[in-house]
């Protein structure tokens, strides 16, 4: 998502519901309702809701859903991500703007893989949520063999709206168990947007995240790295020689995440963006004869 209300809005305050919208549903009335709920970007959000709603009744319903705390993306049904709109259904993890940095890294690696092999790169979007990452990669790369997977049925249904029109396939299941066996040893770019919030910190997340997004997409276990460790343990069996695994994490978790990459035979590189508060670890499966660094 870009730095628009769809990506930068805070959660509405925990307060009693304001009075119902008066008729007609004027711009000023909508702004007042949103501002009373604690929406800092009330003016921008009002413009978005007014331009999206097809009827006065639909507008009133959308404002009510936003006021009680639903993420704006769930209210309007889409998120802006990496310069395009992607469908986001209620109950599905909302793609974060910081993940655009991971996408940019994956685009570069996908292009290099295609140039190196002379074929369409095989790309997998694991823990795909809405499928935003995979759909954007399909747009950005000239040719791509795209696969995506998630354990949440509602996410899989949503991802199909975004990924299938881009020529990809979406599967339901737990991490690599969801993927066709024919992908083993063939993946050039494996993007895994794993949950990495420590269990004890989930309660500190904004209400619209912890109440309206799936816990499985947020909770990464005791130190936030449980799912990352599972992915790094299995990834070498699925990556092509020279293929890359990209995982987003926090800056403070990066050293322990790097240990997991190295322990499983992947050559790690940590990169990040201060502007987007993003930290990404890229692990490369060595090609034949390439030295594997020891533990840090």
């Amino acid at each position: 998502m870009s730095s628009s209300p769809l990506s930068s809005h805070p959660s509405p305050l925990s307060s009693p519901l304001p009075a119902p919208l008066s008729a007609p549903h004027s711009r000023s009335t909508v702004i007042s309702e949103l501002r009373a709920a604690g929406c800092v970007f009330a003016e921008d959000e009002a413009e978005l809701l007014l331009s999206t709603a097809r009827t006065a009744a639909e507008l009133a319903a959308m404002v009510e859903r936003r006021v009680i705390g639903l993420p704006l993306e769930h209210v309007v049904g889409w998120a802006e991500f990496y310069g395009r709109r992607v469908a986001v259904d209620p109950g599905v993890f909302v793609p974060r703007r910081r993940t655009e940095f991971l996408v940019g890294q994956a685009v570069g690696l996908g292009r290099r893989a295609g140039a190196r092999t002379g074929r369409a790169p095989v790309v997998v979007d694991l823990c795909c949520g809405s499928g935003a990452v995979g759909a954007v990669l399909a747009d950005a790369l000239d040719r791509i063999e795209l696969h995506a997977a998630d354990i949440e049925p509602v996410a899989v249904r949503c991802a199909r709206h975004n990924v299938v029109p881009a020529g990809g396939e979406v599967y339901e299941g737990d991490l690599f168990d969801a993927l066709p066996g024919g992908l083993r040893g063939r993946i050039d770019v494996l993007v895994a947007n794993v949950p990495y919030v420590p269990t004890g910190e989930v309660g500190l997340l904004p209400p619209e995240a912890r109440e309206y997004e799936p816990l499985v997409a947020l909770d990464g276990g005791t130190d936030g790295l449980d799912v990352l460790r599972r992915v790094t343990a299995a990834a070498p069996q699925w990556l092509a020689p020279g293929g890359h695994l990209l995982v987003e994490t926090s800056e403070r978790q990066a050293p322990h995440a790097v240990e997991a990459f190295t322990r499983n035979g992947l050559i790690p590189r940590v990169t990040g963006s201060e502007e987007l508060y993003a930290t990404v670890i890229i692990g490369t499966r060595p090609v034949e004869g390439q030295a594997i660094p020891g533990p840090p």
Side-chain angles (χ1 to χ4, degrees):
M1 293 178 292
S2 68
S3 54
S4 68
L6 281 176
S7 61
S8 54
H9 59 83
S11 302
L13 301 176
S14 297
S15 59
L17 287 179
L21 283 171
S22 58
H25 305 289
S26 66
R27 179 179 182 275
S28 61
T29 303
V30 174
I31 291 173
S32 296
E33 296 291 342
L34 296 176
R35 188 176 287 137
C39 299
V40 175
F41 298 98
E43 291 84 357
D44 293 335
E45 292 195 15
E47 294 292 351
L48 184 61
L49 296 178
L50 286 161
S51 65
T52 302
R54 292 163 294 186
T55 65
E58 186 175 30
L59 174 62
M62 293 174 77
V63 173
E64 181 180 4
R65 289 197 297 271
R66 181 66 182 125
V67 162
I68 66 174
L70 266 72
L72 183 60
E73 296 81 0
H74 288 170
V75 173
V76 299
W78 57 270
E80 185 180 341
F81 184 72
Y82 210 80
R84 64 165 288 169
R85 287 187 180 186
V86 294
V88 181
D89 295 336
V92 176
F93 180 78
V94 176
R96 273 42 170 188
R97 183 170 177 249
R98 63 176 171 268
T99 305
E100 293 180 356
F101 178 74
L102 180 149
V103 171
Q105 299 295 306
V107 168
L109 293 171
R111 287 173 178 162
R112 287 196 283 277
R116 185 181 71 248
T117 63
R119 56 167 172 76
V122 178
V123 176
V124 170
D125 181 4
L126 205 60
C127 305
C128 69
S130 66
V133 171
V136 167
L137 289 173
D139 273 355
L141 298 171
D142 293 335
R143 298 181 300 155
I144 183 174
E145 180 185 332
L146 175 62
H147 304 267
D150 200 282
I151 196 170
E152 284 282 301
V154 65
V156 170
R157 289 194 295 271
C158 181
R160 287 188 173 129
H161 290 302
N162 294 311
V163 171
V164 172
E169 296 287 342
V170 185
Y171 314 96
E172 182 181 330
D174 185 23
L175 299 178
F176 296 97
D177 290 345
L179 300 179
L183 288 175
R184 284 180 179 271
R186 295 184 54 234
I187 301 173
D188 298 300
V189 177
L190 172 59
V191 177
N193 199 10
V194 300
Y196 58 90
V197 179
T199 301
E201 297 178 19
V202 170
L204 305 177
L205 293 173
E208 61 188 30
R210 67 173 188 265
E211 294 177 11
Y212 295 104
E213 294 182 292
L215 182 63
V216 70
L218 302 170
D219 190 344
T222 303
D223 65 354
L225 299 176
D226 284 0
V227 183
L228 181 146
R229 291 190 183 96
R230 291 180 59 203
V231 170
T232 56
Q237 307 165 34
W238 293 83
L239 290 173
H244 309 281
L245 165 65
L246 296 89
V247 176
E248 183 178 281
T249 187
S250 71
E251 186 176 8
R252 67 182 171 87
Q253 292 168 317
H256 295 293
V258 165
E259 290 177 6
F261 276 68
T262 304
R263 184 167 55 250
N264 290 291
L266 297 172
I267 302 172
R269 175 168 64 89
V270 181
T271 184
S273 166
E274 291 186 5
E275 177 188 359
L276 297 177
Y277 301 101
T279 300
V280 171
I281 302 175
I282 302 172
T284 304
R285 178 187 168 185
V287 297
E288 188 174 355
Q290 185 175 8
I292 303 175

